Amino acid sequence: MLPVLQATAAALLFGLSAPLAKLLVGAVSPWLLAGLLYLGAGGFLTVMRLGRRGCPDLGTALRASDRWWLAGVVLAGGILAPPLLLWGLARAPAASIALLLNTEVIFTALIAAALFREHVGARILAATGLVALGGMAVEWSGSGPAISPAAAATLAACVLWGLDNNLTRRIAEADPLALVQVKGLAAGATNLILAGLVGSPRPRLSAVALGLGLGAVSYGASLMLFVLALRGLGAARAGAYFALAPFFGAAGAVLVLGEPLTPRLAVAGSLMAAAVWLLAREAHGHWHEHAPGVHEHRHVHDAHHQHAHQGWEGPEPHVHPHPTGPLAHAHPHRPDIHHAHDHELDQP
């Protein structure tokens, strides 16, 4: 239940960023605003980590072997995707762009299945189809569905964030404060440099402060919660719960910006809400085996963690290298660090 709450809270914080960023895109260029948002996130996590000195870590330290995964996360999700979204947001209603962000779920699940062999069953595929229909409804015109440049930019950003989610899943056992801090500072600084190179006009100090504050909450706190959710849910399912973000964003656009609630938005929202309902009710359980190995991550002593201690590990939950398996059993589960196994048959 906790990973679900973490994913939902992350969705709320990130979803509200779309209508609030809409207020800033007229005063700040997309590249510069992307830099401010991620720099705000990195700064927020820096303060959080300083405040936690002496407290137990939330996960393992980042290792040298994580650098390539982290570089991909920063490039795809922190440098390339945000300017595309903000460019589209400047050219289309915030409610429409917010609902199109639901396609991130599609790309997250498809990439998880195609590149990382995560199990994707019939319920997830059905939900993916509903999200696709909802996206078509958002872009429907008198002559049928047509993808505008703003929508195309948003879809490209969602592909990149889908890749980002899957790359982050590879290092999700690391301390989420450190992970988001590095991503925020690296992506923020890079986007600010790129904004300077392309000659982005210098914004007012008030706009800079608002961009940094929005980034701290909607990107920093949201990303930290999402990384925590990835541990227990896997990329496809964490992304599914994160699909609530566009609904929060669309509601914010209507309530905060006064944008109209059109029939197209209502139809699209209904289809996507049905998709989220399908994903939330997914049940996946079957007989599976845990091979012998060694893990290091934050844990408590549950059915998957029955191992001896030497006395230095500290109270639970704690982090230390520990053996896992061999173990064979059946129970409902998700593709977390202990359940990255093959599926011979498509389980319900």
PDB file of all heavy atoms in Angstrom, residues 189-226:
ATOM      1  N   ALA A 189      21.682  22.432 -14.484  1.00  0.00           N
ATOM      2  CA  ALA A 189      22.839  23.191 -14.956  1.00  0.00           C
ATOM      3  C   ALA A 189      22.997  23.073 -16.469  1.00  0.00           C
ATOM      4  O   ALA A 189      23.280  24.072 -17.153  1.00  0.00           O
ATOM      5  CB  ALA A 189      24.100  22.679 -14.247  1.00  0.00           C
ATOM      6  N   THR A 190      22.787  21.874 -17.011  1.00  0.00           N
ATOM      7  CA  THR A 190      22.925  21.676 -18.459  1.00  0.00           C
ATOM      8  C   THR A 190      21.900  22.493 -19.230  1.00  0.00           C
ATOM      9  O   THR A 190      22.234  23.143 -20.236  1.00  0.00           O
ATOM     10  CB  THR A 190      22.786  20.186 -18.811  1.00  0.00           C
ATOM     11  OG1 THR A 190      23.760  19.431 -18.093  1.00  0.00           O
ATOM     12  CG2 THR A 190      22.970  19.970 -20.309  1.00  0.00           C
ATOM     13  N   ASN A 191      20.649  22.475 -18.783  1.00  0.00           N
ATOM     14  CA  ASN A 191      19.611  23.243 -19.477  1.00  0.00           C
ATOM     15  C   ASN A 191      19.862  24.742 -19.387  1.00  0.00           C
ATOM     16  O   ASN A 191      19.577  25.480 -20.340  1.00  0.00           O
ATOM     17  CB  ASN A 191      18.245  22.893 -18.901  1.00  0.00           C
ATOM     18  CG  ASN A 191      17.666  21.622 -19.497  1.00  0.00           C
ATOM     19  OD1 ASN A 191      17.603  21.455 -20.706  1.00  0.00           O
ATOM     20  ND2 ASN A 191      17.250  20.712 -18.642  1.00  0.00           N
ATOM     21  N   LEU A 192      20.374  25.217 -18.261  1.00  0.00           N
ATOM     22  CA  LEU A 192      20.686  26.641 -18.149  1.00  0.00           C
ATOM     23  C   LEU A 192      21.815  27.032 -19.103  1.00  0.00           C
ATOM     24  O   LEU A 192      21.773  28.104 -19.723  1.00  0.00           O
ATOM     25  CB  LEU A 192      21.070  26.983 -16.712  1.00  0.00           C
ATOM     26  CG  LEU A 192      19.942  26.976 -15.673  1.00  0.00           C
ATOM     27  CD1 LEU A 192      20.484  27.334 -14.292  1.00  0.00           C
ATOM     28  CD2 LEU A 192      18.832  27.954 -16.062  1.00  0.00           C
ATOM     29  N   ILE A 193      22.815  26.167 -19.231  1.00  0.00           N
ATOM     30  CA  ILE A 193      23.909  26.441 -20.176  1.00  0.00           C
ATOM     31  C   ILE A 193      23.382  26.465 -21.606  1.00  0.00           C
ATOM     32  O   ILE A 193      23.717  27.361 -22.401  1.00  0.00           O
ATOM     33  CB  ILE A 193      25.012  25.382 -20.018  1.00  0.00           C
ATOM     34  CG1 ILE A 193      25.710  25.542 -18.659  1.00  0.00           C
ATOM     35  CG2 ILE A 193      26.028  25.486 -21.156  1.00  0.00           C
ATOM     36  CD1 ILE A 193      26.673  24.421 -18.334  1.00  0.00           C
ATOM     37  N   LEU A 194      22.528  25.484 -21.950  1.00  0.00           N
ATOM     38  CA  LEU A 194      21.959  25.452 -23.298  1.00  0.00           C
ATOM     39  C   LEU A 194      21.087  26.677 -23.558  1.00  0.00           C
ATOM     40  O   LEU A 194      21.096  27.228 -24.673  1.00  0.00           O
ATOM     41  CB  LEU A 194      21.134  24.165 -23.477  1.00  0.00           C
ATOM     42  CG  LEU A 194      21.932  22.859 -23.503  1.00  0.00           C
ATOM     43  CD1 LEU A 194      20.991  21.656 -23.513  1.00  0.00           C
ATOM     44  CD2 LEU A 194      22.861  22.821 -24.706  1.00  0.00           C
ATOM     45  N   ALA A 195      20.332  27.109 -22.546  1.00  0.00           N
ATOM     46  CA  ALA A 195      19.504  28.310 -22.704  1.00  0.00           C
ATOM     47  C   ALA A 195      20.373  29.528 -22.986  1.00  0.00           C
ATOM     48  O   ALA A 195      20.018  30.393 -23.805  1.00  0.00           O
ATOM     49  CB  ALA A 195      18.667  28.528 -21.446  1.00  0.00           C
ATOM     50  N   GLY A 196      21.536  29.607 -22.313  1.00  0.00           N
ATOM     51  CA  GLY A 196      22.445  30.726 -22.574  1.00  0.00           C
ATOM     52  C   GLY A 196      23.047  30.665 -23.962  1.00  0.00           C
ATOM     53  O   GLY A 196      23.206  31.697 -24.634  1.00  0.00           O
ATOM     54  N   LEU A 197      23.368  29.460 -24.426  1.00  0.00           N
ATOM     55  CA  LEU A 197      23.977  29.309 -25.744  1.00  0.00           C
ATOM     56  C   LEU A 197      23.026  29.694 -26.873  1.00  0.00           C
ATOM     57  O   LEU A 197      23.456  30.204 -27.915  1.00  0.00           O
ATOM     58  CB  LEU A 197      24.445  27.861 -25.946  1.00  0.00           C
ATOM     59  CG  LEU A 197      25.631  27.416 -25.078  1.00  0.00           C
ATOM     60  CD1 LEU A 197      25.934  25.943 -25.292  1.00  0.00           C
ATOM     61  CD2 LEU A 197      26.870  28.257 -25.390  1.00  0.00           C
ATOM     62  N   VAL A 198      21.711  29.446 -26.675  1.00  0.00           N
ATOM     63  CA  VAL A 198      20.745  29.789 -27.730  1.00  0.00           C
ATOM     64  C   VAL A 198      20.214  31.213 -27.563  1.00  0.00           C
ATOM     65  O   VAL A 198      19.351  31.651 -28.319  1.00  0.00           O
ATOM     66  CB  VAL A 198      19.567  28.789 -27.750  1.00  0.00           C
ATOM     67  CG1 VAL A 198      20.065  27.386 -28.030  1.00  0.00           C
ATOM     68  CG2 VAL A 198      18.770  28.840 -26.444  1.00  0.00           C
ATOM     69  N   GLY A 199      20.725  31.942 -26.580  1.00  0.00           N
ATOM     70  CA  GLY A 199      20.349  33.351 -26.422  1.00  0.00           C
ATOM     71  C   GLY A 199      18.999  33.595 -25.785  1.00  0.00           C
ATOM     72  O   GLY A 199      18.319  34.570 -26.136  1.00  0.00           O
ATOM     73  N   SER A 200      18.587  32.753 -24.859  1.00  0.00           N
ATOM     74  CA  SER A 200      17.308  32.960 -24.171  1.00  0.00           C
ATOM     75  C   SER A 200      17.357  34.267 -23.381  1.00  0.00           C
ATOM     76  O   SER A 200      18.347  34.549 -22.698  1.00  0.00           O
ATOM     77  CB  SER A 200      17.022  31.801 -23.205  1.00  0.00           C
ATOM     78  OG  SER A 200      16.898  30.589 -23.909  1.00  0.00           O
ATOM     79  N   PRO A 201      16.302  35.083 -23.473  1.00  0.00           N
ATOM     80  CA  PRO A 201      16.289  36.355 -22.741  1.00  0.00           C
ATOM     81  C   PRO A 201      16.309  36.136 -21.230  1.00  0.00           C
ATOM     82  O   PRO A 201      15.773  35.141 -20.727  1.00  0.00           O
ATOM     83  CB  PRO A 201      14.987  37.013 -23.185  1.00  0.00           C
ATOM     84  CG  PRO A 201      14.136  35.894 -23.698  1.00  0.00           C
ATOM     85  CD  PRO A 201      15.073  34.879 -24.253  1.00  0.00           C
ATOM     86  N   ARG A 202      16.916  37.065 -20.517  1.00  0.00           N
ATOM     87  CA  ARG A 202      17.023  36.943 -19.066  1.00  0.00           C
ATOM     88  C   ARG A 202      15.667  37.274 -18.439  1.00  0.00           C
ATOM     89  O   ARG A 202      15.101  38.343 -18.688  1.00  0.00           O
ATOM     90  CB  ARG A 202      18.083  37.893 -18.544  1.00  0.00           C
ATOM     91  CG  ARG A 202      18.324  37.801 -17.038  1.00  0.00           C
ATOM     92  CD  ARG A 202      19.480  38.674 -16.622  1.00  0.00           C
ATOM     93  NE  ARG A 202      20.722  38.251 -17.275  1.00  0.00           N
ATOM     94  CZ  ARG A 202      21.879  38.882 -17.109  1.00  0.00           C
ATOM     95  NH1 ARG A 202      21.955  39.946 -16.325  1.00  0.00           N
ATOM     96  NH2 ARG A 202      22.956  38.441 -17.734  1.00  0.00           N
ATOM     97  N   PRO A 203      15.120  36.372 -17.620  1.00  0.00           N
ATOM     98  CA  PRO A 203      13.798  36.616 -17.017  1.00  0.00           C
ATOM     99  C   PRO A 203      13.907  37.501 -15.779  1.00  0.00           C
ATOM    100  O   PRO A 203      14.992  37.766 -15.261  1.00  0.00           O
ATOM    101  CB  PRO A 203      13.336  35.206 -16.632  1.00  0.00           C
ATOM    102  CG  PRO A 203      14.616  34.490 -16.318  1.00  0.00           C
ATOM    103  CD  PRO A 203      15.644  35.041 -17.256  1.00  0.00           C
ATOM    104  N   ARG A 204      12.752  37.959 -15.304  1.00  0.00           N
ATOM    105  CA  ARG A 204      12.711  38.730 -14.070  1.00  0.00           C
ATOM    106  C   ARG A 204      13.031  37.839 -12.873  1.00  0.00           C
ATOM    107  O   ARG A 204      12.817  36.620 -12.914  1.00  0.00           O
ATOM    108  CB  ARG A 204      11.336  39.370 -13.888  1.00  0.00           C
ATOM    109  CG  ARG A 204      11.023  40.465 -14.912  1.00  0.00           C
ATOM    110  CD  ARG A 204       9.667  41.075 -14.649  1.00  0.00           C
ATOM    111  NE  ARG A 204       8.608  40.075 -14.769  1.00  0.00           N
ATOM    112  CZ  ARG A 204       7.322  40.337 -14.526  1.00  0.00           C
ATOM    113  NH1 ARG A 204       6.953  41.554 -14.143  1.00  0.00           N
ATOM    114  NH2 ARG A 204       6.428  39.385 -14.668  1.00  0.00           N
ATOM    115  N   LEU A 205      13.520  38.464 -11.808  1.00  0.00           N
ATOM    116  CA  LEU A 205      13.902  37.716 -10.616  1.00  0.00           C
ATOM    117  C   LEU A 205      12.714  36.966 -10.018  1.00  0.00           C
ATOM    118  O   LEU A 205      12.868  35.844  -9.517  1.00  0.00           O
ATOM    119  CB  LEU A 205      14.493  38.665  -9.573  1.00  0.00           C
ATOM    120  CG  LEU A 205      15.076  38.009  -8.314  1.00  0.00           C
ATOM    121  CD1 LEU A 205      16.191  37.034  -8.675  1.00  0.00           C
ATOM    122  CD2 LEU A 205      15.577  39.079  -7.344  1.00  0.00           C
ATOM    123  N   SER A 206      11.516  37.564 -10.089  1.00  0.00           N
ATOM    124  CA  SER A 206      10.329  36.895  -9.547  1.00  0.00           C
ATOM    125  C   SER A 206      10.020  35.616 -10.305  1.00  0.00           C
ATOM    126  O   SER A 206       9.631  34.602  -9.711  1.00  0.00           O
ATOM    127  CB  SER A 206       9.126  37.845  -9.596  1.00  0.00           C
ATOM    128  OG  SER A 206       8.866  38.263 -10.938  1.00  0.00           O
ATOM    129  N   ALA A 207      10.200  35.631 -11.633  1.00  0.00           N
ATOM    130  CA  ALA A 207       9.957  34.427 -12.433  1.00  0.00           C
ATOM    131  C   ALA A 207      10.982  33.348 -12.110  1.00  0.00           C
ATOM    132  O   ALA A 207      10.657  32.156 -12.066  1.00  0.00           O
ATOM    133  CB  ALA A 207       9.997  34.765 -13.919  1.00  0.00           C
ATOM    134  N   VAL A 208      12.228  33.750 -11.870  1.00  0.00           N
ATOM    135  CA  VAL A 208      13.266  32.788 -11.494  1.00  0.00           C
ATOM    136  C   VAL A 208      12.911  32.122 -10.165  1.00  0.00           C
ATOM    137  O   VAL A 208      13.007  30.895 -10.019  1.00  0.00           O
ATOM    138  CB  VAL A 208      14.635  33.491 -11.393  1.00  0.00           C
ATOM    139  CG1 VAL A 208      15.683  32.546 -10.808  1.00  0.00           C
ATOM    140  CG2 VAL A 208      15.083  33.981 -12.762  1.00  0.00           C
ATOM    141  N   ALA A 209      12.473  32.929  -9.196  1.00  0.00           N
ATOM    142  CA  ALA A 209      12.123  32.383  -7.881  1.00  0.00           C
ATOM    143  C   ALA A 209      10.947  31.415  -7.986  1.00  0.00           C
ATOM    144  O   ALA A 209      10.945  30.344  -7.356  1.00  0.00           O
ATOM    145  CB  ALA A 209      11.791  33.521  -6.921  1.00  0.00           C
ATOM    146  N   LEU A 210       9.941  31.767  -8.788  1.00  0.00           N
ATOM    147  CA  LEU A 210       8.790  30.884  -8.957  1.00  0.00           C
ATOM    148  C   LEU A 210       9.189  29.582  -9.646  1.00  0.00           C
ATOM    149  O   LEU A 210       8.706  28.502  -9.287  1.00  0.00           O
ATOM    150  CB  LEU A 210       7.697  31.597  -9.754  1.00  0.00           C
ATOM    151  CG  LEU A 210       6.952  32.719  -9.020  1.00  0.00           C
ATOM    152  CD1 LEU A 210       6.029  33.465  -9.976  1.00  0.00           C
ATOM    153  CD2 LEU A 210       6.163  32.160  -7.848  1.00  0.00           C
ATOM    154  N   GLY A 211      10.058  29.663 -10.647  1.00  0.00           N
ATOM    155  CA  GLY A 211      10.515  28.463 -11.335  1.00  0.00           C
ATOM    156  C   GLY A 211      11.283  27.537 -10.413  1.00  0.00           C
ATOM    157  O   GLY A 211      11.079  26.315 -10.426  1.00  0.00           O
ATOM    158  N   LEU A 212      12.162  28.091  -9.587  1.00  0.00           N
ATOM    159  CA  LEU A 212      12.918  27.275  -8.641  1.00  0.00           C
ATOM    160  C   LEU A 212      11.996  26.634  -7.601  1.00  0.00           C
ATOM    161  O   LEU A 212      12.152  25.458  -7.250  1.00  0.00           O
ATOM    162  CB  LEU A 212      13.976  28.126  -7.938  1.00  0.00           C
ATOM    163  CG  LEU A 212      15.147  28.610  -8.811  1.00  0.00           C
ATOM    164  CD1 LEU A 212      16.012  29.595  -8.034  1.00  0.00           C
ATOM    165  CD2 LEU A 212      15.989  27.438  -9.304  1.00  0.00           C
ATOM    166  N   GLY A 213      11.010  27.413  -7.108  1.00  0.00           N
ATOM    167  CA  GLY A 213      10.083  26.871  -6.114  1.00  0.00           C
ATOM    168  C   GLY A 213       9.206  25.776  -6.685  1.00  0.00           C
ATOM    169  O   GLY A 213       8.979  24.744  -6.033  1.00  0.00           O
ATOM    170  N   LEU A 214       8.714  25.994  -7.913  1.00  0.00           N
ATOM    171  CA  LEU A 214       7.901  24.965  -8.556  1.00  0.00           C
ATOM    172  C   LEU A 214       8.719  23.694  -8.793  1.00  0.00           C
ATOM    173  O   LEU A 214       8.224  22.577  -8.595  1.00  0.00           O
ATOM    174  CB  LEU A 214       7.346  25.499  -9.882  1.00  0.00           C
ATOM    175  CG  LEU A 214       6.462  24.550 -10.685  1.00  0.00           C
ATOM    176  CD1 LEU A 214       5.237  24.132  -9.873  1.00  0.00           C
ATOM    177  CD2 LEU A 214       6.027  25.201 -12.000  1.00  0.00           C
ATOM    178  N   GLY A 215       9.969  23.860  -9.189  1.00  0.00           N
ATOM    179  CA  GLY A 215      10.821  22.700  -9.406  1.00  0.00           C
ATOM    180  C   GLY A 215      11.082  21.923  -8.123  1.00  0.00           C
ATOM    181  O   GLY A 215      11.105  20.688  -8.128  1.00  0.00           O
ATOM    182  N   ALA A 216      11.249  22.636  -7.012  1.00  0.00           N
ATOM    183  CA  ALA A 216      11.516  21.975  -5.738  1.00  0.00           C
ATOM    184  C   ALA A 216      10.373  21.048  -5.348  1.00  0.00           C
ATOM    185  O   ALA A 216      10.586  19.921  -4.898  1.00  0.00           O
ATOM    186  CB  ALA A 216      11.743  23.023  -4.645  1.00  0.00           C
ATOM    187  N   VAL A 217       9.133  21.501  -5.556  1.00  0.00           N
ATOM    188  CA  VAL A 217       7.976  20.721  -5.126  1.00  0.00           C
ATOM    189  C   VAL A 217       7.528  19.725  -6.190  1.00  0.00           C
ATOM    190  O   VAL A 217       7.420  18.517  -5.940  1.00  0.00           O
ATOM    191  CB  VAL A 217       6.802  21.656  -4.759  1.00  0.00           C
ATOM    192  CG1 VAL A 217       5.559  20.848  -4.395  1.00  0.00           C
ATOM    193  CG2 VAL A 217       7.197  22.566  -3.602  1.00  0.00           C
ATOM    194  N   SER A 218       7.274  20.214  -7.402  1.00  0.00           N
ATOM    195  CA  SER A 218       6.675  19.374  -8.438  1.00  0.00           C
ATOM    196  C   SER A 218       7.661  18.457  -9.128  1.00  0.00           C
ATOM    197  O   SER A 218       7.257  17.475  -9.758  1.00  0.00           O
ATOM    198  CB  SER A 218       5.986  20.260  -9.494  1.00  0.00           C
ATOM    199  OG  SER A 218       4.842  20.879  -8.949  1.00  0.00           O
ATOM    200  N   TYR A 219       8.951  18.749  -9.038  1.00  0.00           N
ATOM    201  CA  TYR A 219       9.956  17.862  -9.611  1.00  0.00           C
ATOM    202  C   TYR A 219      10.784  17.185  -8.515  1.00  0.00           C
ATOM    203  O   TYR A 219      10.966  15.965  -8.543  1.00  0.00           O
ATOM    204  CB  TYR A 219      10.876  18.640 -10.567  1.00  0.00           C
ATOM    205  CG  TYR A 219      10.261  18.907 -11.914  1.00  0.00           C
ATOM    206  CD1 TYR A 219       9.145  19.746 -12.033  1.00  0.00           C
ATOM    207  CD2 TYR A 219      10.764  18.337 -13.061  1.00  0.00           C
ATOM    208  CE1 TYR A 219       8.569  19.989 -13.273  1.00  0.00           C
ATOM    209  CE2 TYR A 219      10.197  18.581 -14.304  1.00  0.00           C
ATOM    210  CZ  TYR A 219       9.093  19.406 -14.400  1.00  0.00           C
ATOM    211  OH  TYR A 219       8.516  19.640 -15.615  1.00  0.00           O
ATOM    212  N   GLY A 220      11.283  17.951  -7.549  1.00  0.00           N
ATOM    213  CA  GLY A 220      12.127  17.369  -6.512  1.00  0.00           C
ATOM    214  C   GLY A 220      11.398  16.393  -5.617  1.00  0.00           C
ATOM    215  O   GLY A 220      11.721  15.203  -5.573  1.00  0.00           O
ATOM    216  N   ALA A 221      10.382  16.877  -4.903  1.00  0.00           N
ATOM    217  CA  ALA A 221       9.629  16.001  -4.002  1.00  0.00           C
ATOM    218  C   ALA A 221       8.908  14.904  -4.779  1.00  0.00           C
ATOM    219  O   ALA A 221       8.831  13.755  -4.338  1.00  0.00           O
ATOM    220  CB  ALA A 221       8.632  16.824  -3.192  1.00  0.00           C
ATOM    221  N   SER A 222       8.374  15.240  -5.957  1.00  0.00           N
ATOM    222  CA  SER A 222       7.654  14.258  -6.761  1.00  0.00           C
ATOM    223  C   SER A 222       8.583  13.135  -7.226  1.00  0.00           C
ATOM    224  O   SER A 222       8.244  11.955  -7.129  1.00  0.00           O
ATOM    225  CB  SER A 222       7.013  14.944  -7.968  1.00  0.00           C
ATOM    226  OG  SER A 222       6.405  14.009  -8.824  1.00  0.00           O
ATOM    227  N   LEU A 223       9.758  13.491  -7.726  1.00  0.00           N
ATOM    228  CA  LEU A 223      10.697  12.469  -8.203  1.00  0.00           C
ATOM    229  C   LEU A 223      11.170  11.573  -7.069  1.00  0.00           C
ATOM    230  O   LEU A 223      11.325  10.359  -7.250  1.00  0.00           O
ATOM    231  CB  LEU A 223      11.893  13.144  -8.879  1.00  0.00           C
ATOM    232  CG  LEU A 223      11.692  13.597 -10.325  1.00  0.00           C
ATOM    233  CD1 LEU A 223      12.883  14.418 -10.785  1.00  0.00           C
ATOM    234  CD2 LEU A 223      11.488  12.409 -11.249  1.00  0.00           C
ATOM    235  N   MET A 224      11.403  12.154  -5.903  1.00  0.00           N
ATOM    236  CA  MET A 224      11.834  11.344  -4.764  1.00  0.00           C
ATOM    237  C   MET A 224      10.772  10.301  -4.416  1.00  0.00           C
ATOM    238  O   MET A 224      11.079   9.124  -4.206  1.00  0.00           O
ATOM    239  CB  MET A 224      12.111  12.234  -3.559  1.00  0.00           C
ATOM    240  CG  MET A 224      12.598  11.483  -2.325  1.00  0.00           C
ATOM    241  SD  MET A 224      12.816  12.565  -0.898  1.00  0.00           S
ATOM    242  CE  MET A 224      11.095  12.970  -0.536  1.00  0.00           C
ATOM    243  N   LEU A 225       9.513  10.725  -4.368  1.00  0.00           N
ATOM    244  CA  LEU A 225       8.423   9.799  -4.060  1.00  0.00           C
ATOM    245  C   LEU A 225       8.267   8.740  -5.153  1.00  0.00           C
ATOM    246  O   LEU A 225       7.991   7.568  -4.878  1.00  0.00           O
ATOM    247  CB  LEU A 225       7.121  10.569  -3.885  1.00  0.00           C
ATOM    248  CG  LEU A 225       7.024  11.428  -2.626  1.00  0.00           C
ATOM    249  CD1 LEU A 225       5.830  12.376  -2.720  1.00  0.00           C
ATOM    250  CD2 LEU A 225       6.907  10.549  -1.386  1.00  0.00           C
ATOM    251  N   PHE A 226       8.461   9.139  -6.410  1.00  0.00           N
ATOM    252  CA  PHE A 226       8.309   8.193  -7.512  1.00  0.00           C
ATOM    253  C   PHE A 226       9.401   7.130  -7.480  1.00  0.00           C
ATOM    254  O   PHE A 226       9.140   5.949  -7.750  1.00  0.00           O
ATOM    255  CB  PHE A 226       8.330   8.928  -8.850  1.00  0.00           C
ATOM    256  CG  PHE A 226       8.056   8.038 -10.032  1.00  0.00           C
ATOM    257  CD1 PHE A 226       6.810   7.471 -10.215  1.00  0.00           C
ATOM    258  CD2 PHE A 226       9.050   7.742 -10.951  1.00  0.00           C
ATOM    259  CE1 PHE A 226       6.547   6.625 -11.293  1.00  0.00           C
ATOM    260  CE2 PHE A 226       8.800   6.920 -12.028  1.00  0.00           C
ATOM    261  CZ  PHE A 226       7.548   6.360 -12.202  1.00  0.00           C
TER     262      PHE A 226
END
